[in-house]
Amino acid sequence: MPTCLPTVLRRCHACASDRFRANGKFRVNANHKLLDAWLLVLCSACGDTAKLTVFERANVRSVRPELLDRMHDNDPGLAAELLQDPVVRRRNRIALDWDNAWRLDTGGSDHLGREVIDVSVRFAARIPVRPVRLIADGCGLSRAEVERLMAEGKLVSAARLSGKLSGDFTFMLKR
């Protein structure tokens, strides 16, 4: 589950840093019957503000009132939703860095002593993580040991465990 908003990867025009932090602040501008909305992000190095376009020149009637209210209230939940939206990321040419922005809830450690562990992983948000790292953290193993268990066939899953995943998956660990 996420613990904070991810770092936005984009080049700063003032200091050439490539990291911005989102704090959930929005700017909405009205020009007659047209609205512009931006998510404001701050450069991690110099503190300069950049605007990520949410929508441009949208007719007032085409914007849901609930969305506009959430922007006026600077809702951090809305900022998280918009940062994960592929359309917003593509429009603004940004990527997200989720390092240190999520945590793993295992429900306790009483399952670690069993011979066979059948685990179902559920994501609270679409956070791309490496399943090998997630399994190592959750089971108290090293990543090398998880790789070894995969090679020996003692760690099996229908999902591909190499690379990154952001959707739910299951695996079985045999000791």
Side-chain angles (χ1 to χ4, degrees):
M1 65 186 342
T3 57
C4 62
L5 293 174
T7 302
V8 175
L9 300 177
R10 176 183 170 176
R11 182 72 63 199
C12 177
H13 71 280
C15 71
S17 172
D18 64 345
R19 297 189 170 280
F20 284 82
R21 63 184 187 282
N23 56 3
K25 303 279 186 203
F26 291 91
R27 173 150 190 247
V28 179
N29 188 28
N31 186 2
H32 298 288
K33 293 184 180 183
L34 302 177
L35 291 176
D36 296 319
W38 301 277
L39 173 62
L40 303 178
V41 292
L42 302 171
C43 177
S44 297
C46 69
D48 197 37
T49 302
K51 299 185 290 189
L52 303 180
T53 303
V54 177
F55 53 80
E56 287 181 304
R57 301 291 177 215
N59 192 312
V60 173
R61 293 178 188 252
S62 69
V63 179
R64 294 187 332 266
E66 308 86 44
L67 176 65
L68 207 50
D69 288 342
R70 289 177 72 186
M71 285 184 184
H72 286 302
D73 293 338
N74 291 320
D75 184 6
L78 177 61
E81 290 172 28
L82 291 172
L83 284 173
Q84 293 180 33
D85 185 0
V87 174
V88 172
R89 289 199 320 252
R90 195 175 320 112
R91 178 185 298 142
N92 292 287
R93 295 184 191 103
I94 61 169
L96 301 178
D97 181 9
W98 284 95
D99 287 346
N100 301 320
W102 59 273
R103 69 180 165 89
L104 176 65
D105 286 337
T106 60
S109 60
D110 56 342
H111 61 280
L112 296 178
R114 297 184 189 159
E115 282 296 314
V116 177
I117 303 171
D118 194 13
V119 179
S120 178
V121 178
R122 303 279 177 243
F123 286 84
R126 296 190 57 80
I127 301 171
V129 295
R130 297 188 184 283
V132 171
R133 180 179 174 199
L134 195 71
I135 293 167
D137 288 349
C139 296
L141 304 170
S142 68
R143 282 188 266 175
E145 191 171 355
V146 171
E147 295 282 349
R148 184 184 55 79
L149 290 170
M150 285 174 42
E152 292 174 357
K154 293 184 177 182
L155 177 61
V156 293
S157 175
R160 188 177 61 113
L161 298 178
S162 60
K164 288 189 176 185
L165 285 176
S166 59
D168 300 344
F169 68 96
T170 60
F171 67 90
M172 187 179 337
L173 176 63
K174 303 172 194 169
R175 296 204 178 194

